[in-house]
Amino acid sequence: MERETQFIGQSATFQDAVERTSLAAALDRPVLVIGERGTGKELIAERLHRLSTRWDRPYVIMNCAAMPETLIESELFGHEAGAFTGATRSRAGRFEEADGGTLFLDELATMSMGAQERLLRAVEYGEVTRVGASRPIRVDVRIVAATNEHLPALVEDNRFRADLLDRLSFEVITLPPLRAREGDIEVLATYFGQRMAAVLGWEEWPGFGPRALAAMEGHDWPGNVRELRNVIERAIYRWADPEKPVDALTFDPFASPWQPAARKAATKTETPAIATSAPPATAAATPPPGPVSDLRAAVDAYERQILSDTMARCRFNQKVAAEALGLSYDQIRHALKKHGLNQ
């Protein structure tokens, strides 16, 4: 499953972002790429480099979030021998490595204020000074930076330098989340499905069944394209009959009735709210009063009433109702069919 750098999608919002990328690539100016996780920020950064006049020069990637604050300046600007404990020899930083080419700074918002100040000087004057050195080094580097944060808000909170933001925001390319890319979910799912089927040696691609397609369209995809790829590849490899359309998806691979109790509580507490989060659970039904002569019938009637009330409260959105009741999409579909409520 080699890394793919091509762009797949037909929605106008996605095509607009790609076209703006192609337009900005020819100009030797900084570019900010903004987007949620999994929207393809690194692919956009690589496209900016490959379509630029620097395409045959170094393309250096640095994830700012992966670097401790004490080391990020050394990684960016290099250091001299003896500059700090453990610095036994001189080392060039990422700016020097990218000289003549492009430096991609991922997770820019996590950079410390001290590193931001030195980055500003490097961008403004084209000079870097190694940690422990007294003389600057001239570099010719194009900066492309990415983040999933709203940088103007960080400026207002004094967590990001306004002058650095001004310098880096010649062009800002904001990538649309998958849920806003009309028509692209099925296109991407088919692409990832066909690739995975080929890896597994399937003779033909059977496509997706109606239940799987409905589930895809009803999901919010907080992890965007990266999450979609995982869900589709997982579904293909678990599907037992390659001759029938794939019609079962598992969105949460951690969901299990045998999940450790302590972790189950923590997961419910830590899961962030999303746009279509379920309404707060309330008492949806009242148990039948008086003595019960047929337990199974009483339980079925109570279950049906809960399902009916919850679906009405959730405006008949099966996904939202499933979240409200702590069920998977497949579980609520089965329950609604059992009680004749899936009309």
Side-chain angles (χ1 to χ4, degrees), residues 109-237:
T110 63
M111 186 176 288
S112 68
M113 295 298 283
Q116 289 179 35
E117 183 176 358
R118 298 192 64 179
L119 176 60
L120 174 63
R121 181 171 182 83
V123 175
E124 189 76 34
Y125 300 107
E127 295 181 346
V128 297
T129 303
R130 291 183 179 183
V131 177
S134 57
R135 294 183 178 181
I137 301 171
R138 296 287 300 178
V139 290
D140 174 23
V141 175
R142 183 191 192 182
I143 299 293
V144 177
T147 181
N148 58 8
E149 297 277 0
H150 184 53
L151 293 179
L154 297 188
V155 170
E156 292 180 5
D157 293 340
N158 295 317
R159 293 164 52 198
F160 199 86
R161 293 183 62 102
D163 45 5
L164 178 59
L165 180 59
D166 291 340
R167 193 66 181 85
L168 293 178
S169 57
F170 168 79
E171 177 63 288
V172 178
I173 298 172
T174 302
L175 300 180
L178 185 57
R179 59 184 174 275
R181 294 171 53 177
E182 186 176 356
D184 282 354
I185 293 176
E186 185 174 351
V187 171
L188 286 161
T190 300
Y191 171 73
F192 292 133
Q194 289 174 334
R195 288 184 64 206
M196 192 62 181
V199 169
L200 296 175
W202 290 12
E203 294 184 1
E204 294 183 0
W205 167 240
F208 294 102
R211 184 172 62 173
L213 290 172
M216 288 181 209
E217 295 297 334
H219 190 58
D220 289 310
W221 301 110
N224 292 289
V225 178
R226 187 181 298 120
E227 180 190 6
L228 174 66
R229 174 176 173 171
N230 285 338
V231 169
I232 297 305
E233 291 181 354
R234 184 188 308 122
I236 303 304
Y237 116 84

